[in-house]
Amino acid sequence: MSPIQQHILELRKQLNEHNYNYYVLNRPTISDRDFDFLMKELEQLEQLYPEFDDPMSPTHRVGSDINKSFTQVEHIHPMLSLGNSYSVAEVEDFIRKAKAGLTGQTMEIVGELKFDGTSISLIYEHGRLLRAVTRGDGVRGDDVTANVKTIRSIPLQLAGSDYPDAFEIRGEVLLPWEAFNRLNEQREKDGEALFANPRNAAAGTLKLQNSAEVARRGLDAYLYHIIGDNLPSDTHWGNLQAARSWGFKISNDIRILNSIEEVDDFINYWDEQRKQLPVATDGLVFKVNNLNQQLNLGFTSKFPRWAIAFKFKAEQALTRLVSVSFQVGRTGVVTPVANLDTVPLSGTMVSRATLHNEDFVRSLDLHLGDMVYVEKGGEIIPKITGVELERRTPESVPVSFVTHCPECGAELVRDEGEAAWVCPNKSGCEPQLIGKIEHFAGRKMMNIDSIGGETAQLLFKSGLVRNIADLYSLTREQILSLDRFAERSAQRLLQGIEQSKKVPFERVVFALSIPFVGETVAKKIARAAGDIDRLMGMTIDDLTSIDDIGPRIAESVVGFFADEENRRIVERLKSAGLQMAIERKAASSEILAGKSIIISGTFDYHSRDEYKAIIEQNGGKNVSSISKNTDYVLAGHNMGPAKLEKATSLGITILSEEDFLSLIGSAPSSAGEQAEQSASAGKPEDAENPIMPDLFSMLD
Ligand code: IVH
C-alpha cells in the first residue's frame, strides 16, 4: 500500500472516530475547527488521487445535489410492527402470557424507549453499509441509502472486527426536538408549511430528493433490532451491546428487567422523565431478551409475540369548540365533527376532532363555545374527552344534531339500538354514491388503482359513472373526454377495470359496500353462500347460522339484496364478467413437487403469504434467496433489479403472477381458497400451533 493511500485510510479512520464521538457519544474530543481541517485534507487527497476514493468515505456524507427518484427494494425479512398496550396491566398480561409460553424457563425482559420517528432497515455486508430501506408497506420499501448516508450517527464502515459478514439492523430515524424546532422556524420565515411533529419531519426528510438538504436538517438514528446469522450473542441485549461497539447509536436507556415490579418502575420513571429527552418518544418497548425464547414465542400474523409497545397516556389540550359540522360517509352514516380553535397537541396542530355520534355529543352535554379537552385517540384522530363546565357561558346553546342530511336534504333515520343517524337516500346522496365507487376500487377490494377519491368524484360528477356497475361500460373515448385523462392514464384505468374481473368472489362481496360487511365478514358469507345467487337468496336464519354472523349483519345483508337498485347493479356486474362464485378445486396437488420457488415483488390476486401457502399446497418449497438450485422466481410488480439480474444470469425461469397461476392450473379464487385454508391452520389463535410457520423464517 502506498504511503498516500495509507494516509487517506488513517484520515478516514480518525474522522469516523470523531464522528462517532460527536454524534453517537455526544463527547467530541477535538474542536469543530480541527475536525473540519482533517476533513478538508481528506477531501483534497481524494480529489488528487481519485483511485483511492471510496463511496463510504466520511467526505461523502455531505450529500449531493443531484435529483434522483427512489427505487423500491424488497425487505429480506418483512418489517412488522408491534402490538400496542396502553396500561401497566396490559404489559403485565403480555409478560405473563410470554412466560406461560416458555414453560418453566426464567425470562428476562429488555425495556427500551419507543422512539417516535420513522423506521429504517440497514443492510451491512463486510462491515460496510450496503443499503438503507424505509419500512414502506412492510414487504418492500424505498431505497434511501443516499439520504441515510448523510446521517452521521449511522456508521458507513463498522468499527472492530467481530461483526457478522452480513446482517440487518433496524432502528428509528428521527429529528431531535432542537433540529425540529430550528427547521420549523426556518420554514416559517420562508413561508413554507410547518411540520406537524418530528415524526412527520423525519419521514419527510428521509424522502427528500436532495441529500445535501437532508444532511443540513440534522437527522439522527437509534438502532434497536439486529437480524442475521452468526450474531455475537444469543440475547437481544448482548447483540445491542456488540452493535454499540461496532459504532451504532444504541440508546443508553435500555435496561434488563427481571420482574414485573421492575417493569412497573421502568414505566413510571419514563412516563415523567421522557419529557426531558432531546428526542420525541411515544412510549416504551418491552422485548423478551433471549433469542431462542423469541424464536419459541414466534409471531402472530401481524406482530412478534416476544415484544410489545406500551404507549404513554396521550397528552391533553384545552381549547374552544367553535362549531360542529356533519359528514356523510359511504354507507350514509352521519358523523358529527367538532371545529375547534387551533391548539398544539403532542406536537401537532389540532383544529378538528371527531364527536362519533349523537349519544357521544349528549353524554358530554356539549354546548357551542365550550372549553373542551382534546386528546389524541390512538395517536391519529383527536377526540374530545371532557368539558370545562366552569368556563361555560350562560348564553351558550347545546349542540343539536341535524335532522336532515347536510348533503342531500333527506330526513335522517336512526334504527332502534343503533348509535348512528343515517341518510336513507342511498341512490341520490352524492357522498354516498361517490364513496361507494371509491370503496369498490380500493386495494383490498377490486384493486383498480387508478381510482382514488378524486377520480371517483370526477367520474361521478361527469355523469359517466353513477354506480359501480357503470365502471364496466366505460369506453376509452368517454374517459379521454375527462379533464385529467390522457391516452396512457385512460389505458391504465381500463386495464385496472379489466383486471378487476379476476378478483376473487370474497373481495367482490366486500367491494359492494353492504353496511356492516367488512373484509372478514365478506369472506365468511361469500364462502358460506358459494355464489352470488345463493347469497342474494339467503334468509336471516341462513345468515345467522354462519359462524360469527349476528342478526345485525344478517339484516343488513338481507336488506341490501332486497333493494331493487342493488339487485340490478349486481346483475350488471355479473354480466360484466366479475367472479361471482367461489371456485372450489382440489385443495392441493404435487405440480410443484421438488421445486424451489422465490417470491419477489407485490401481487394483484393474492398476498405473499397466500402465495407461500399455495406453493406449499402444491408440493413446492418457498425459499428466500436465489441460488443455482432455485427453479422459479414468482415475480410480481417492482421486483428488485438485483434479484432480477441474478435470476436471469443463473438462467432461472421467471414466472409472472398469471404464468404461475396457470402453471398450477388454478383460477385465482381457487388458489385463494387453498391459501386461506392452510394459513388458518397456523393462525395465532390456534393454540395447538402457536407459531406461524411462514413468518418463522424471519429469524433465520
Ligand atoms: S422493535 C419486530 N424497538 O415502533 C419488532 N421498535 O410500533 C421491531 N420503534 O415499527 C420493532 N422504538 O418503528 C422497536 N425500541 C424500539 C422502538 C421501535 C421505536 C418503532 C418501530 C416499530 C414501531 C412499532
Side-chain angles (χ1 to χ4, degrees):
M1 193 186 291
S2 76
I4 292 290
Q5 193 182 4
Q6 211 150 18
H7 186 53
I8 288 178
L9 291 182
E10 178 56 28
L11 280 171
R12 281 186 194 143
K13 185 162 167 269
Q14 281 184 26
L15 282 161
N16 280 335
E17 273 170 22
H18 290 310
N19 261 334
Y20 178 71
N21 292 340
Y22 184 91
Y23 289 103
V24 178
L25 300 181
N26 280 327
R27 262 187 273 120
T29 52
I30 58 167
S31 69
D32 288 0
R33 198 170 155 272
D34 289 347
F35 179 88
D36 287 346
F37 189 78
L38 287 177
M39 185 68 98
K40 283 238 157 59
E41 186 185 351
L42 178 59
E43 266 167 15
Q44 279 165 359
L45 284 174
E46 284 174 351
Q47 260 165 21
L48 278 173
Y49 302 96
E51 66 272 30
F52 300 140
D53 200 353
D54 182 338
M56 293 297 153
S57 166
T59 54
H60 294 297
R61 282 190 188 270
V62 284
S64 103
D65 272 316
I66 301 165
N67 262 22
K68 50 209 170 306
S69 50
F70 302 105
T71 34
Q72 291 227 304
V73 181
E74 194 172 331
H75 293 296
I76 303 170
H77 310 274
M79 274 182 98
L80 297 189
S81 176
L82 293 172
N84 282 327
S85 63
Y86 298 90
S87 67
V88 175
E90 281 177 274
V91 177
E92 291 178 357
D93 198 44
F94 157 78
I95 293 173
R96 259 190 293 275
K97 281 204 182 115
K99 257 199 126 129
L102 302 169
T103 30
Q105 302 172 27
T106 53
M107 183 181 84
E108 283 176 345
I109 292 284
V110 175
E112 299 175 12
L113 290 169
K114 185 167 183 306
F115 298 104
D116 199 11
T118 181
S119 37
I120 193 80
S121 148
L122 307 175
I123 307 292
Y124 283 81
E125 274 183 25
H126 309 296
R128 292 153 78 92
L129 173 65
L130 187 71
R131 204 165 50 242
V133 186
T134 61
R135 185 218 294 280
D137 62 4
V139 173
R140 47 200 305 120
D142 279 332
D143 183 334
V144 289
T145 313
N147 285 345
V148 164
K149 277 171 67 182
T150 72
I151 304 175
R152 291 167 193 253
S153 52
I154 291 183
L156 303 180
Q157 168 73 55
L158 301 184
S161 56
D162 62 335
Y163 42 78
D165 260 1
F167 67 97
E168 176 174 357
I169 185 161
R170 292 179 181 173
E172 204 82 352
V173 169
L174 39 84
L175 202 61
W177 284 114
E178 202 186 297
F180 169 72
N181 292 333
R182 194 168 4 111
L183 173 64
N184 262 356
E185 276 162 29
Q186 187 58 46
R187 289 174 78 87
E188 194 159 22
K189 273 193 210 138
D190 299 343
E192 291 178 90
L194 302 190
F195 281 112
N197 54 41
R199 181 186 347 122
N200 291 358
T205 302
L206 209 51
K207 294 286 182 77
L208 287 175
Q209 295 295 332
N210 174 346
S211 54
E213 173 61 17
V214 178
R216 270 193 289 277
R217 289 198 181 170
L219 289 175
D220 203 343
Y222 280 97
L223 285 307
Y224 45 63
H225 185 201
I226 311 180
I227 312 171
D229 295 328
N230 308 320
L231 296 178
S233 166
D234 62 359
T235 67
H236 169 64
W237 170 271
N239 286 323
L240 287 189
Q241 303 311 316
R244 182 182 283 126
S245 77
W246 305 331
F248 291 106
K249 190 164 189 163
I250 307 294
S251 168
N252 285 320
D253 296 313
I254 59 175
R255 292 284 177 275
I256 293 186
L257 307 167
N258 286 300
S259 65
I260 287 191
E261 290 69 37
E262 286 181 18
V263 170
D264 289 356
D265 289 347
F266 192 76
I267 293 178
N268 291 334
Y269 176 81
W270 282 114
D271 209 5
E272 193 46 44
Q273 287 303 312
R274 70 183 177 114
K275 292 171 193 152
Q276 316 298 330
L277 289 167
V279 295
T281 54
D282 60 340
L284 302 171
V285 180
F286 295 101
K287 301 174 182 169
V288 171
N289 191 21
N290 185 294
L291 299 191
N292 282 322
Q293 292 184 341
Q294 288 189 0
L295 207 64
N296 281 336
L297 290 166
F299 294 80
T300 71
S301 57
K302 280 200 201 142
F303 309 126
R305 270 201 214 87
W306 44 262
I308 194 167
F310 166 79
K311 293 286 199 106
F312 293 128
K313 194 170 168 344
E315 284 175 53
Q316 286 191 331
L318 190 63
T319 187
R320 186 175 306 281
L321 173 68
V322 179
S323 62
V324 174
S325 345
F326 294 87
Q327 282 178 352
V328 185
R330 142 180 86 88
T331 52
V333 170
V334 177
T335 308
V337 177
N339 300 307
L340 308 163
D341 271 343
T342 306
V343 64
L345 177 60
S346 319
T348 48
M349 300 305 285
V350 171
S351 52
R352 281 157 76 78
T354 175
L355 291 170
H356 305 292
N357 52 45
E358 186 186 21
D359 295 345
F360 184 79
V361 175
R362 291 216 187 294
S363 68
L364 286 169
D365 183 27
L366 269 187
H367 283 46
L368 290 175
D370 270 350
M371 291 304 290
V372 293
Y373 289 100
V374 202
E375 261 184 29
K376 296 258 191 68
E379 264 284 275
I380 299 157
I381 307 163
K383 62 180 177 198
I384 292 181
T385 53
V387 180
E388 190 61 56
L389 285 175
E390 283 176 12
R391 295 180 64 180
R392 178 173 287 167
T393 52
E395 66 276 12
S396 71
V397 288
V399 171
S400 57
F401 214 89
V402 280
T403 53
H404 290 76
C405 176
E407 297 283 342
C408 72
E411 191 174 349
L412 301 181
V413 291
R414 181 174 169 177
D415 286 340
E416 220 187 295
E418 292 295 335
W421 282 99
V422 177
C423 167
N425 183 10
K426 304 283 172 227
S427 54
C429 179
E430 267 199 16
Q432 294 191 53
L433 295 169
I434 297 171
K436 282 189 181 111
I437 298 168
E438 186 186 350
H439 171 82
F440 182 78
R443 200 171 54 83
K444 290 184 152 186
M445 300 85 187
M446 306 306 283
N447 194 23
I448 309 174
D449 72 350
S450 10
I451 304 183
E454 261 176 53
T455 307
Q457 184 146 359
L458 182 70
L459 289 167
F460 181 85
K461 295 226 157 152
S462 67
L464 290 176
V465 179
R466 305 302 283 188
N467 63 47
I468 52 177
D470 291 342
L471 286 169
Y472 294 90
S473 37
L474 273 178
T475 65
R476 184 177 148 273
E477 288 67 32
Q478 284 174 331
I479 300 171
L480 283 173
S481 73
L482 298 172
D483 257 1
R484 283 192 21 229
F485 280 90
E487 193 57 53
R488 259 164 62 107
S489 43
Q491 195 57 36
R492 212 175 123 218
L493 174 57
L494 283 171
Q495 257 167 15
I497 293 172
E498 197 51 39
Q499 289 282 345
S500 76
K501 295 180 184 169
K502 297 181 192 148
V503 163
F505 178 52
E506 297 93 317
R507 279 168 53 182
V508 177
V509 173
F510 179 32
L512 291 175
S513 282
I514 307 172
F516 309 128
V517 176
E519 190 181 2
T520 313
V521 170
K523 268 188 193 157
K524 287 195 169 144
I525 59 176
R527 296 204 175 144
D531 64 43
I532 193 74
D533 291 329
R534 292 228 287 277
L535 181 60
M536 292 208 287
M538 277 178 131
T539 62
I540 304 250
D541 280 349
D542 294 338
L543 283 155
T544 48
S545 67
I546 305 170
D547 264 357
D548 297 331
I549 307 294
R552 184 177 185 233
I553 296 173
E555 275 168 31
S556 174
V557 173
V558 170
F560 182 89
F561 289 118
D563 182 306
E564 269 310 310
E565 173 72 5
N566 289 338
R567 295 181 81 88
R568 260 198 305 276
I569 290 176
V570 169
E571 282 311 321
R572 286 178 59 204
L573 293 177
K574 230 199 244 177
S575 334
L578 271 65
Q579 300 296 317
M580 288 301 189
I582 300 267
E583 204 172 318
R584 299 183 199 278
K585 280 197 181 167
S588 63
S589 80
E590 284 304 311
I591 285 175
L592 301 176
K595 303 284 184 208
S596 291
I597 302 167
I598 286 220
I599 304 175
S600 181
T602 52
F603 299 93
D604 292 329
Y605 305 118
H606 300 284
S607 70
R608 291 166 63 91
D609 282 340
E610 283 172 353
Y611 274 121
K612 282 183 190 171
I614 294 171
I615 288 171
E616 279 158 25
Q617 290 277 313
N618 288 282
K621 191 170 152 215
N622 173 226
V623 292
S624 57
S625 58
I626 296 190
S627 73
K628 59 180 184 347
N629 299 325
T630 312
D631 295 287
Y632 299 123
V633 177
L634 167 52
H637 301 295
N638 301 320
M639 176 177 171
K643 235 181 208 174
L644 186 61
E645 199 183 309
K646 190 160 180 196
T648 319
S649 70
L650 290 171
I652 298 165
T653 309
I654 297 174
L655 299 172
S656 71
E657 197 174 2
E658 287 81 5
D659 293 341
F660 175 79
L661 289 172
S662 60
L663 175 73
I664 60 166
S666 168
S669 55
S670 78
E673 183 80 340
Q674 296 171 20
E676 242 352 281
Q677 283 169 1
S678 87
S680 66
K683 279 255 174 73
E685 307 82 79
D686 184 351
E688 295 295 312
N689 186 2
I691 296 157
M692 244 191 101
D694 44 358
L695 288 177
F696 209 55
S697 61
M698 284 180 59
L699 294 175
D700 280 350

